């Protein structure tokens, strides 16, 4: 029979007395084994009733029973007599204990079966999470155990995670231990170190003791000792081959190899020293790091990561940095390690000085939204307001404020809200966020008046790299008509919210959880992402499509101006920035300006902070570049033109036209070079300014370099000019004109390079969203 009788030793009434026998041999005789001989009869008193159960469950219960019988037998040897007597009495007093015990065992069996059954049963695939998780664990285990070569399971895991998350959107990422730490530092805005930006010839160059220099830095034209192409990493470049092949490709490869070799020989250099930290200790941009404490830098062998780790350390300790400085020689600089705070406000200064009749115009450059952004902007604005009052002998307040958020990539949502609350009226909506599994939230200003007076004109500067949290601020300013947004066209258009979820083992997951909406109710996300994935490599990644003009919807600002969604924040006033010439881009990317600045520093001293490049110095620079070109140390065509020309040459060769067009291609290259040489005269002023900045950065702190550059910034000049014209400023914002009527009709205003457009309309009511709070680690 499949049924069986359950037996446990403690309640076996062999002696009929209901008492336990202390003698071990007697107790062992009370442990009744299951008898499988059908002819052998079994007579005993069992405290568990005999029941019929299905075979699988009965077998499990039998094994559980035998296990507990063994445990209880062992325990009975250790229990004192009073406890044994108590258990016997308890059995006599509570006859229903047998039923309770049976219920407990049956419940335990059913619970265990419920956990095991879904995994090993045919219905296992019904749980959409269980199957892929189990398969992934099995595959990873099989590879770790049986793959032909030893594998790194941690790398395999990260590769799998990266592939999975890349199928969703470009912002959802798994952060390993190192990446999670760097992300935390960028969010918190602080780390333990000395405050240096360093670079080398490796692909990991440009670390901020810690962080890579962004692509935006290179695109903005700053002269950094970094490579502009990953192929310039010497480890990625094949040595020039002696075999016959494409002549142009071979020449280009040879030049790149030589360039990468030279950059490795230049070692690891300081790009920037932070004010208040390494700069105050004596470090300067352009310094070549020779040693950090007992770590001697070997050109081409010591990595930026190695140096970074040595510069990092516990606040309060001191590191000795040995450097080679052009024109000075070797120096040893003692730099204290401290808690370095990465400033979001790079500069706060008066661009129009106050006087008895006017309060002047202030300027704040906001480069990010880390944990202290709101406090920094608040402090900077108070400083400017005090300067306006002091400069006018207490007669005037600040007339205007320029908030520069060009190339601001965003940051924390909470800090975007904090900065916006400084600018917009009390009791105003700032931003809302909604998502599938995300509680709807609405951020509003409090009941106190903003720090910025409504009588102070506000202009916000943006560009195509203004994104995320910076778009929240500019969108709120525009929708609430508190200031004018000025730029070349539109902002980046990132209307997605990412949450940073801490994971075990000091890792993290950054994933998209919601979209955000400006006060008018519009989402400025410019790109729609569709999930990819699957085994087909062609469709494994996400697909992206730009929001079409026909799909964009109209919304209305508080004053009734028409704005649209689906493409970033469009500037109210459009002012184009000067385009960099091909020569300027090539010279900046190649590092030639930095090389000349180093050479100049060996034989000159900086006369004053208003230093300008004279004609003689510029002529020397031109001669320096052309000599490098003649000796083939550089090729001015490498940065932009040589790659497409080499590709065209290869295509012509495959088509059989190479010989007939070989000479015309050479003539084309020579023609481009002649045009670039003429650009030394055509773009003289721009090149002089770039060269001056490359020299000054070796002597002056970053804030002074920025202050110098904004004096010649065409968009800053346009903002100042706009604020001086009250009627034009009010017309753009659809405010009341001098006649007392609200300006909301379709208007087009043109003046020099300024053009604006406003239109009449009704305010669209915002969605009613529950104020449910938001996590502090919410990040864009």
């Amino acid at each position: 029979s499949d049924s069986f009788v359950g037996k446990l030793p403690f309640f076996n009434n062999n002696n009929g007395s209901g008492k336990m026998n202390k003698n071990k041999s007697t107790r062992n005789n009370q442990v009744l084994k299951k008898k499988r001989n059908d002819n052998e009869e079994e007579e005993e008193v069992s405290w568990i009733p005999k029941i019929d159960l299905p075979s699988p469950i009965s077998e499990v219960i039998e094994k559980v029973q035998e296990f507990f019988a063994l445990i209880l037998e062992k325990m009975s040897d250790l229990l004192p007599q009073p406890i044994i007597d108590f258990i016997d009495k308890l059995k006599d007093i509570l006859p229903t204990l047998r039923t309770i015990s049976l219920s407990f065992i049956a419940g335990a069996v059913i619970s265990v079966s419920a956990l095991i059954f879904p995994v090993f049963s045919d219905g296992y695939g019904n749980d959409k999470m269980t199957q892929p998780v189990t398969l992934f664990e099995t595959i990873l285990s099989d590879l770790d155990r049986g793959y032909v070569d030893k594998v790194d399971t941690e790398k395999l895991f990260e590769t799998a995670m990266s592939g999975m998350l890349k199928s969703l959107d470009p912002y959802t990422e798994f952060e390993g231990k190192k990446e999670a730490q760097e992300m935390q530092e960028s969010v918190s805005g602080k780390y333990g170190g000395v405050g240096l930006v360093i670079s080398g010839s490796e692909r990991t160059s440009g670390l901020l003791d810690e962080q890579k220099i962004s692509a935006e830095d290179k695109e903005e034209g700053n002269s950094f000792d970094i490579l502009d192409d990953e192929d310039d990493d010497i480890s990625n470049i094949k040595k020039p081959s002696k075999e016959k092949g494409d002549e142009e490709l071979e020449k280009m490869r040879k030049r790149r190899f030589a360039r990468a070799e030279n950059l490795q020989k230049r070692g690891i250099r300081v790009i920037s020293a932070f004010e208040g930290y390494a700069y105050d200790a004596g470090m300067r941009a352009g310094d070549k790091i020779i040693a950090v404490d007992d770590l001697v830098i070997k050109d081409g062998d010591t990595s930026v990561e190695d140096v970074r780790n040595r510069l990092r350390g516990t606040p309060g300790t001191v590191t000795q940095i040995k450097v080679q400085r052009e024109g000075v020689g070797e120096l040893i600089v003692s730099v204290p390690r401290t808690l370095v705070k990465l400033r979001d406000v790079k500069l706060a200064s008066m661009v129009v000085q106050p006087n008895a009749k006017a309060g002047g115009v202030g300027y704040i450059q906001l480069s990010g939204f880390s944990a202290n952004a709101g406090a920094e902007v608040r402090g900077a604005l108070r400083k400017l307001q005090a300067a306006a009052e002091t400069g006018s002998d207490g007669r005037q307040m600040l007339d205007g404020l320029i908030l520069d958020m060009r190339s601001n990539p965003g940051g924390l949502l909470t800090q975007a809200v904090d900065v916006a609350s400084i600018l917009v009226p009390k009791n105003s909506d700032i931003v809302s966020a909604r998502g599938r599994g995300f509680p709807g939230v609405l951020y509003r200003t409090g009941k106190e008046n903003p720090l910025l007076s409504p009588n102070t004109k506000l202009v916000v500067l943006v560009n195509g790299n203004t994104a995320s949290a910076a778009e929240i601020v500019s969108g709120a300013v525009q929708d609430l008509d508190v200031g004018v947004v000025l730029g070349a066209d539109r902002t980046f258009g990132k209307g997605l919210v990412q949450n940073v979820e801490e994971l075990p083992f000091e890792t993290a997951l950054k994933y998209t959880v919601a979209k955000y909406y400006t006060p008018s109710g519009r989402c400025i996300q410019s790109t729609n992402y569709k999930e990819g994935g699957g085994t087909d490599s062609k469709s494994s990644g996400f697909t992206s499509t730009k929001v079409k003009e026909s799909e964009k919807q109209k919304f209305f600002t508080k004053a009734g101006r028409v704005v649209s969604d689906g493409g970033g924040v469009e500037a109210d006033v459009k002012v184009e920035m000067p385009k960099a010439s091909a020569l300027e881009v090539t010279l900046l990317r190649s590092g030639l300006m930095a090389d000349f600045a180093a050479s100049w520093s060996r034989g000159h001293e900086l006369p004053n902070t208003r230093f300008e490049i004279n004609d003689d110095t510029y002529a020397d620079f031109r001669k320096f570049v052309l000599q490098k070109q003649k000796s083939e140390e550089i090729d001015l065509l490498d940065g932009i033109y040589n790659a497409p020309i080499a590709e065209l040459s290869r295509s012509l060769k495959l088509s059989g036209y190479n010989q007939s067009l070989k000479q015309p291609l050479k003539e084309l290259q020579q023609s481009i070079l002649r045009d670039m040489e003429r650009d030394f005269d055509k773009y003289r002023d721009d090149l002089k300014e770039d060269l001056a900045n490359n020299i000054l950065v070796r002597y002056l702190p970053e804030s002074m370099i920025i202050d110098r550059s904004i004096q010649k910034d065409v968009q800053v000049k346009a903002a100042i000019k706009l604020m001086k014209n009250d009627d034009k400023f009010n017309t753009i914002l659809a405010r009341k004109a001098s006649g007392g009527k609200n300006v909301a009709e379709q208007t087009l205003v043109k003046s020099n390079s300024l053009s604006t457009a406003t239109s009449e309309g009704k305010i669209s009511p915002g969605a009613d969203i529950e104020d449910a709070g938001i996590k502090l680690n919410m990040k864009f």
Side-chain angles (χ1 to χ4, degrees):
S1 171
D2 287 335
S3 63
F4 68 95
V5 178
K7 310 168 188 69
L8 290 178
F10 282 0
F11 302 101
N12 220 349
N13 293 333
N14 286 348
N15 57 13
S17 65
K19 301 290 184 180
M20 284 189 179
N21 193 328
K22 284 180 63 180
N23 186 276
K24 180 177 180 181
S25 61
T26 305
R27 285 199 299 270
N28 287 342
N29 290 333
Q30 292 175 336
V31 180
L32 303 178
K33 306 284 186 178
K34 180 181 179 183
K35 299 177 181 179
R36 298 189 179 275
N37 190 338
D38 293 338
N39 297 326
E40 183 180 357
E41 293 186 1
E42 180 182 355
E43 290 185 6
E44 69 247 278
V45 179
S46 174
W47 67 286
I48 301 177
K50 184 175 180 179
I51 56 175
D52 292 335
L53 293 171
S55 179
I57 297 180
S58 67
E59 291 177 1
V60 173
I61 291 179
E62 179 184 2
K63 292 193 178 294
V64 171
Q65 173 188 331
E66 291 177 355
F67 173 75
F68 275 105
L70 180 61
I71 295 299
L72 291 172
E73 178 187 355
K74 297 295 184 183
M75 289 177 61
S76 66
D77 293 335
L78 303 174
L79 293 175
Q81 185 60 36
I83 294 179
I84 296 175
D85 294 341
F86 172 76
I87 295 175
D88 287 335
K89 289 179 181 180
L90 186 63
K91 186 198 72 167
D92 295 336
I93 297 172
L94 301 174
T96 58
L97 186 60
R98 299 175 180 178
T99 305
I100 295 173
S101 301
L102 176 63
S103 300
F104 172 78
I105 294 175
V109 171
I110 292 173
S111 299
V112 172
S113 300
L115 293 175
I116 297 175
F117 182 75
V119 179
F120 296 101
S121 69
D122 293 336
Y124 153 83
N126 294 334
D127 185 345
K128 65 179 182 179
M129 292 298 294
T130 303
Q131 182 177 3
V133 170
T134 305
L135 282 174
F136 179 77
E137 182 181 5
T138 303
I139 292 171
L140 193 62
S141 177
D142 288 347
L143 292 174
D144 183 42
R145 184 181 62 254
Y147 188 71
V148 61
D149 296 317
K150 186 176 181 180
V151 297
D152 187 333
T153 53
E154 184 176 346
K155 286 185 178 180
L156 283 176
F157 171 80
E158 291 183 356
T159 301
M161 290 299 101
S162 176
M164 176 179 70
L165 299 178
K166 283 180 179 178
S167 69
L168 299 174
D169 62 49
Y171 310 111
T172 299
E173 298 173 326
F174 170 77
E175 308 289 352
K177 184 176 180 179
K178 176 185 172 183
E179 292 79 7
Q181 181 182 1
E182 290 180 351
M183 182 170 60
Q184 178 59 32
E185 288 168 358
S186 69
V187 171
S188 65
K190 53 190 177 184
Y191 67 96
V194 298
L196 282 177
V197 182
I198 61 176
S199 78
S201 63
E202 298 174 332
R203 292 169 63 184
T204 53
S205 63
L207 296 176
L208 175 58
D209 278 334
E210 57 304 332
Q211 296 174 351
K212 292 180 181 178
I213 292 177
S214 65
E216 288 76 20
D217 286 329
K218 288 182 281 183
E219 291 171 4
E220 286 298 309
N222 297 325
S223 181
F224 294 126
D225 274 348
I226 55 179
L227 301 170
D228 59 281
D229 193 314
E230 67 175 15
D231 286 340
D232 288 333
D233 182 351
I234 196 169
S235 62
N236 289 337
I237 305 175
K238 294 181 180 179
K239 290 188 177 182
S241 172
K242 295 182 179 179
E243 297 178 3
K244 292 183 178 180
D246 188 283
E247 185 179 347
E248 293 301 326
L249 285 175
E250 198 63 31
K251 284 183 179 180
M252 186 169 64
R253 189 180 294 115
K254 182 179 179 181
R255 287 191 297 269
R256 285 194 172 184
F257 183 83
R259 179 184 172 193
E261 262 189 334
N262 289 334
L263 284 174
Q264 281 195 342
K265 292 177 182 178
R266 290 165 66 181
I268 295 174
R269 295 181 179 265
V270 175
I271 297 301
S272 176
F274 292 169
E275 297 172 71
Y277 303 101
Y279 182 87
D280 293 7
M283 297 294 294
R284 294 293 182 268
D287 287 348
K288 179 180 179 180
I289 299 178
I290 300 174
V292 179
D293 294 329
D294 60 349
L295 174 66
V296 178
I297 311 300
K298 297 179 180 178
D299 294 346
D301 293 330
T302 307
S303 69
V304 175
E305 187 81 4
D306 295 335
V307 179
R308 167 218 176 191
N309 292 336
R310 286 302 184 99
L311 294 173
R312 286 284 187 92
T314 305
T317 59
V318 177
T319 181
Q320 304 293 325
I321 305 176
K322 188 176 182 180
V323 300
Q324 174 80 39
R325 184 172 298 169
E326 300 290 349
V328 177
E330 292 187 359
L331 299 170
I332 296 179
V333 185
S334 296
V335 185
R337 294 187 181 94
T338 184
L339 190 63
V340 179
K341 296 181 179 179
L342 305 176
R343 295 189 181 96
D344 289 316
V345 173
K346 298 296 185 183
L347 177 69
S349 67
M350 298 296 294
V351 290
V352 176
Q353 297 302 318
N355 53 49
K357 295 183 179 180
V361 177
Y363 170 91
I364 296 176
Q365 185 181 98
L366 182 61
S367 62
F369 287 88
S370 61
N372 297 312
E376 289 183 33
V377 172
R378 195 173 281 105
L381 180 54
R382 287 196 176 106
K383 170 188 169 184
L384 296 175
Q385 290 172 330
E389 186 176 351
T390 301
S392 63
D393 295 327
R395 299 177 185 179
Q396 304 292 334
M397 61 183 298
L398 190 65
D399 287 336
L401 174 67
I402 299 172
L403 179 61
D404 189 349
M405 294 195 295
R406 290 174 294 184
S407 297
N408 184 321
L412 292 171
L413 170 63
T414 50
Q415 293 307 303
V417 172
D418 195 11
V419 171
S421 68
I422 298 171
L423 310 173
V424 304
K426 62 181 180 180
N427 299 321
S428 298
D429 293 351
I430 296 177
V431 65
S432 60
R434 299 192 294 273
R436 180 175 65 92
F438 182 80
V441 293
L442 171 64
Y443 278 102
R444 307 192 76 213
T445 56
K447 297 181 180 179
E448 297 180 357
N449 288 320
L451 180 59
L452 183 69
S453 169
N455 296 321
T456 299
K457 298 184 181 71
L458 174 64
V459 174
V460 177
L461 301 184
V462 299
N463 64 10
N465 291 320
T466 302
S468 299
E471 291 177 293
I472 287 179
V473 175
S474 53
V477 167
Q478 186 177 67
D479 284 3
L480 298 172
D481 301 297
V482 297
V484 174
V485 177
L486 186 150
D489 193 6
R490 290 179 175 271
T491 59
F492 185 84
K494 182 175 181 292
L496 302 177
V497 183
Q498 278 76 45
N499 189 27
V500 179
E501 189 76 24
E502 292 183 2
L503 300 177
F505 313 113
E506 300 180 81
T507 60
L509 172 65
K510 178 165 70 77
Y511 63 110
T512 305
V513 294
K515 291 182 178 181
Y516 71 78
Y517 302 84
T518 64
S520 65
R522 56 179 169 147
C523 177
I524 53 86
Q525 177 66 21
S526 62
T527 306
N528 294 322
Y529 298 106
K530 184 178 179 181
E531 179 186 357
T535 56
D536 185 359
S537 59
K538 294 181 179 179
S539 61
S540 59
F542 63 85
T543 56
S544 61
T545 55
K546 287 288 184 181
V547 177
K548 299 177 181 178
E549 285 295 327
S550 59
E551 297 173 345
K552 295 179 180 179
Q553 302 180 48
K554 293 186 181 298
F555 294 82
F556 301 91
T557 69
K558 189 174 181 180
R561 297 187 296 145
V562 175
V563 290
S564 63
D565 65 356
V569 176
E570 185 175 9
D572 299 313
V573 174
K574 295 184 178 180
V575 179
E576 288 286 344
M577 286 291 286
K579 301 293 185 183
S581 65
L583 176 62
E584 184 179 8
V585 172
T586 300
L587 293 176
L588 288 170
R589 287 183 172 181
S590 65
L592 283 172
M593 285 192 172
D595 290 344
F596 181 81
S599 175
W600 186 91
S601 299
R602 286 195 290 268
H604 300 80
E605 292 185 1
L606 188 70
N608 53 65
T609 58
R610 296 183 178 275
F611 171 75
E612 299 287 347
I613 298 294
N614 58 36
D615 290 340
D616 290 340
T617 303
Y618 186 70
D620 290 341
F621 172 65
R622 181 173 181 170
K623 187 184 302 182
F624 174 84
V625 173
L626 296 180
Q627 181 60 39
K628 294 279 187 181
Q629 171 72 22
K630 185 177 180 180
S631 63
E632 295 188 352
E633 291 183 55
I634 63 147
D635 187 346
L636 293 176
L637 299 182
D638 261 353
I640 299 175
Y641 301 108
N642 271 344
I645 289 176
E647 187 61 34
L648 175 60
S649 176
R650 179 189 296 175
S651 299
L652 292 171
K653 183 177 181 180
L654 293 174
S655 303
Y657 299 116
N658 187 50
Q659 292 302 319
S660 60
L661 294 175
K662 189 174 183 178
Q663 186 60 33
L665 282 178
K666 286 185 177 180
E667 291 175 358
L668 173 63
Q669 289 174 305
Q670 293 301 318
S671 176
I672 295 174
L673 275 175
R674 287 192 295 270
D675 286 342
M676 292 183 75
E677 289 179 19
R678 283 194 288 267
D679 284 348
F680 274 103
D681 296 323
K682 185 176 181 181
Y683 298 101
R684 173 185 294 263
D685 292 342
D686 294 338
L687 294 175
K688 276 187 173 184
E689 185 63 22
D690 291 334
L691 189 57
N693 285 335
N694 273 269
I695 292 175
L696 287 170
V697 76
R698 296 172 178 268
Y699 300 93
L700 304 179
E702 182 184 21
S703 61
M704 294 186 70
I705 302 297
I706 298 173
D707 190 38
R708 170 191 168 92
S709 66
I710 63 174
Q711 302 300 326
K712 300 179 181 181
D713 192 306
V714 296
Q715 290 184 337
V716 172
K717 289 181 178 180
I720 295 171
K721 184 175 182 180
L722 175 63
M723 284 188 281
K724 290 181 179 179
N725 191 326
D726 291 343
D727 288 340
K728 184 179 296 184
F729 191 87
N730 291 330
T731 299
I732 293 170
L733 296 179
R735 293 176 178 173
K736 290 184 178 180
S738 56
K741 295 183 179 180
N742 194 61
V743 183
E745 72 270 13
Q746 183 74 20
T747 309
L748 182 65
V749 183
K750 290 187 177 180
S751 176
N752 297 333
S753 59
L754 304 183
S755 64
T756 65
T758 61
S759 59
E760 184 176 11
K762 297 180 180 180
I763 299 176
S764 174
D768 186 15
I769 304 172
E770 178 186 1
D771 188 355
I774 199 164
K775 291 184 178 180
L776 289 179
N777 64 346
M778 194 59 62
K779 186 174 183 287
F780 289 89

